[in-house]
DNA sequence: TTCCGGTTTAACCAATTCGTCAACTATATC
DNA sequence: GATATAGTTGACGAATTGGTTAAACCGGAA
């Protein structure tokens, strides 16, 4: 692997664990197996390195969500099945890059302006086959459609979106402490993740489906 | 107000905004309107100051939850009403100290061992009229009871607890960026909070109640 | 008044840590 | 083989910042 990449992945890990300010350039260098000066050779400053890592992480999630959704196509699915699929894919996209998601989450709190910039950048880079479908939109569209069709109860879709995000992202905040209290191994964790995902979609669907509607698949 | 208190509240604010490592002792001092040396006079080190702030914040939430719940008593309420009340009170307890909640959340991620220590401490200090009712327990008890009574569907209560926490806490992670994008004023924010709370309990109750059960109040 | 403990401050110290640089290596190109 | 370019390094510079200290302040007790 190229040095630049090695640095990026090491930085991702260290920033995720220690936070932007808690991370030490020296530690990133050591963890990447390169000299500290290399970080400055490629990224010129800590600030810059962090921004690149953050942008890459954000890009990553959005791309994974988009790819995975368009390859498992929503066409033909009813609102309930669509929502289930979309929510699951979101969650999976987060899980596929745990440190990346953590960094994004932290940036939400401490670096909102960076997030905004990165989001704008992602929108700008948008090509014609991806007309800036900033994923939130897609999910709320589906929810609204379901409501119009009387399959979902009339709910506040914005708030619901926040709830879905919350249920999904809490895993990343609570992970270290859960690890400490429960000491999960890799297998336990995989099982926990499956339960988490199932629990989210279960609560969600039962929570939004009209009572007389057909049960979901 | 005493200097010590002034420092604590200033530290709470600064730690919440900048994070443990992003915070500067000088800034805390200035914000508290005291000389930097005072911080060391009272707290001896940054590490220590942070720990005290963290422990106080944790104590705060737990106390608020406990107090508010025992004064609005659960006796006589059915499972549905109980859950609603308990969840609402949790949320309110979080909202009543936004910076405190943020610090706790950050500590969950970056300082799990501190959280554990603080939690143990809280349990130890427990008196006889508060037999270490670490709030999670209480909520899961109610949920289990509801399931036994066939009022709630048979769901994974641990996962559900995590979901409730997630839906409630996401507000604190997303707040800065929402602020940036939407620019909410105090009134907007109050309204948003009410909607948030309503949305949580709405999804939750519809999500866990057995279909044939009586609707909640 | 004097003394004394707790409080407060400005100036200072020391360590951490971000960042730089000049020199060295490796690889490719002519 | 000479030369240029990209990558790499250890040692160093310098700023930030956590932490210290000695002296001053101040209210109350003797």
């Amino acid at each position: 692997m190229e040095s630049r990449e090695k640095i990026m992945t090491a930085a991702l890990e260290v920033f995720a664990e220690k936070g932007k300010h808690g991370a030490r350039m020296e530690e990133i260098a050591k963890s990447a197996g390169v000299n500290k000066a290399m970080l400055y050779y490629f990224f010129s400053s800590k600030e810059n390195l962090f921004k690149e890592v953050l942008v890459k992480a954000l890009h990553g999630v959005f791309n994974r969500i988009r790819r995975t959704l368009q390859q498992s196509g929503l066409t033909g699915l009813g609102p309930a099945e669509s929502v289930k699929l979309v929510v699951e894919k979101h969650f999976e996209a987060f899980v596929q890059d745990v440190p990346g998601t953590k960094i994004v989450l932290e940036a939400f709190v401490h670096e909102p302006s960076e997030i905004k910039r990165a989001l704008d950048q992602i929108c700008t880079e948008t090509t014609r086959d991806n007309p800036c479908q900033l994923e939130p939109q897609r999910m709320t569209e589906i929810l609204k459609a379901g409501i119009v069709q009387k399959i979902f109860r009339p709910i506040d879709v914005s708030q619901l979106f926040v709830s879905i995000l919350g249920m999904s992202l809490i895993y990343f905040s609570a992970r270290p402490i859960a690890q400490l209290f429960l000491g999960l191994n890799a297998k336990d964790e995989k099982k926990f993740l499956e339960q988490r995902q199932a629990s989210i979609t279960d609560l969600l669907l039962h929570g939004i489906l009209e009572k007389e509607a057909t049960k979901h698949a």
Side-chain angles (χ1 to χ4, degrees), chain A:
Chain A
M1 190 160 50
E2 301 298 330
S3 288
R4 210 194 132 91
E5 287 178 70
K6 285 198 288 187
I7 293 171
M8 284 285 276
T9 54
L12 181 79
E13 222 75 42
V14 177
F15 278 133
E17 193 194 325
K18 306 282 178 73
K20 176 180 173 184
H21 296 284
R24 298 294 109 132
M25 293 299 263
E26 184 63 52
E27 188 187 347
I28 294 173
K30 195 174 279 183
S31 163
V34 303
N35 187 284
K36 188 181 64 161
M38 294 292 286
L39 309 202
Y40 293 91
Y41 178 71
F42 286 115
F43 301 96
S44 81
S45 76
K46 186 183 187 180
E47 187 66 32
N48 238 293
L49 174 58
F50 180 79
K51 285 183 189 171
E52 278 217 33
V53 169
L54 174 63
V55 169
K56 191 185 172 190
L58 256 183
H59 266 252
V61 209
F62 279 99
N63 285 335
R64 287 196 298 279
I65 294 176
R66 186 152 27 80
R67 252 206 321 266
T68 190
L69 274 184
Q70 69 190 25
Q71 85 186 23
S72 61
L74 294 177
T75 50
L77 296 184
E81 291 81 6
S82 292
V83 169
K84 182 155 186 274
L85 195 77
V86 170
V87 170
E88 281 173 352
K89 293 309 176 188
H90 271 72
F91 187 65
E92 281 162 21
F94 296 146
V95 171
Q96 273 158 34
D97 183 7
V98 172
T101 305
K102 275 181 158 183
I103 287 176
V104 172
L105 248 181
E106 195 202 318
F108 263 66
V109 180
H110 296 301
E111 237 84 23
S113 51
E114 262 339 294
I115 291 278
K116 188 166 160 55
R117 197 187 326 251
L119 244 38
D120 289 346
Q121 188 183 327
I122 290 176
C123 272
T124 307
E125 289 171 2
T126 288
T127 57
R128 48 223 55 77
D129 77 7
N130 168 35
C132 193
Q133 184 78 279
L134 229 38
E135 304 312 322
Q137 250 103 339
R138 178 162 350 200
M139 203 188 286
T140 50
E141 296 302 322
I142 298 174
L143 291 169
K144 280 186 210 159
I147 294 173
V148 171
Q149 295 173 49
K150 308 258 185 192
I151 292 177
F152 299 153
R153 297 186 297 115
I155 28 161
D156 181 331
V157 291
S158 308
Q159 286 292 346
L160 186 60
F161 176 69
V162 175
S163 290
I164 292 169
L165 238 42
M167 290 191 284
S168 304
L169 294 177
I170 186 67
Y171 168 71
F172 302 89
S173 302
R175 205 176 110 111
I177 192 122
Q179 205 84 23
L180 192 81
F181 271 91
L182 311 173
L184 305 173
N185 57 36
K187 199 179 170 189
D188 292 336
E189 181 145 10
K190 189 171 168 241
K191 194 176 162 197
F192 180 86
L193 275 172
E194 285 167 12
Q195 293 174 340
R196 184 93 275 273
Q197 193 183 36
S199 174
I200 293 172
T201 51
D202 174 78
L203 181 70
L204 178 63
L205 287 175
H206 280 89
I208 64 178
L209 280 170
E210 280 286 5
K211 296 292 182 296
E212 55 276 1
T214 39
K215 278 291 280 282
H216 62 284

